[in-house]
């Protein structure tokens, strides 16, 4: 190819037409407005586990030999459910149990 090549800017719409449930057309802006989401901070929690429970957790963790982060979390959650008799566990509690297992 010889000659001058020019590039054309592509103008894309900043709004999109959509149909509402009633069948009417509605224009919605593509750009999101508002404040960006804040990163949530994780608080530290101390479950104050007795020494025998800490030993039980570390032994259970070593027996299962988890390889991935997901497996490690699943192992501590299983131990927590079986030994603390609570089916719900928070992120700070998971972090606390993981810190025990990483020692």
């Amino acid at each position: 190819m010889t000659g001058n090549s020019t590039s054309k800017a592509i103008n894309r719409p900043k709004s999109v037409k959509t149909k509402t449930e009633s069948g009417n057309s509605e224009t919605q802006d593509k750009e999101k407005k508002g404040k960006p989401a804040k990163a949530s901070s994780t608080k530290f929690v101390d479950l104050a586990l007795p020494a025998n429970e800490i030993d039980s957790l570390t032994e259970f963790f070593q027996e299962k030999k988890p390889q991935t982060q997901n497996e490690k979390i699943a192992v501590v959650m299983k131990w927590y459910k079986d030994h603390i008799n609570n089916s719900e566990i928070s992120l700070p509690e998971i972090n606390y149990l993981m810190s025990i297992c990483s020692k």
Side-chain angles (χ1 to χ4, degrees):
M1 289 175 94
T2 60
N4 294 340
S5 64
T6 58
S7 62
K8 293 181 181 179
I10 299 174
N11 293 326
R12 296 192 177 154
K14 291 190 178 184
S15 60
V16 177
K17 269 193 173 180
T18 58
K19 293 224 180 210
T20 61
E21 288 180 15
S22 62
N24 298 333
S25 292
E26 184 178 274
T27 303
Q28 296 177 345
D29 288 334
K30 273 181 134 180
E31 298 174 15
K32 292 183 180 180
K33 295 182 180 178
K35 297 179 182 177
K38 281 187 178 180
S40 62
S41 62
T42 304
K43 297 178 181 178
F44 179 77
V45 65
D46 185 357
L47 296 176
L49 295 174
N52 64 334
E53 291 289 343
I54 291 173
D55 292 341
S56 171
L57 172 60
T58 54
E59 287 174 18
F60 184 75
F61 194 82
Q62 290 170 355
E63 285 174 15
K64 298 298 179 186
K65 299 178 184 171
Q67 299 298 311
T68 66
Q69 186 73 15
N70 288 344
E71 290 173 353
K72 292 174 182 178
I73 292 170
V75 168
V76 296
M77 289 176 70
K78 172 68 172 147
W79 179 90
Y80 184 82
K81 183 179 177 186
D82 292 347
H83 287 82
I84 307 299
N85 297 322
N86 189 350
S87 62
E88 294 182 9
I89 185 169
S90 67
L91 181 58
E93 291 168 332
I94 292 171
N95 287 337
Y96 175 75
L97 297 173
M98 294 289 288
S99 71
I100 291 172
C101 295
S102 66
K103 292 180 182 180

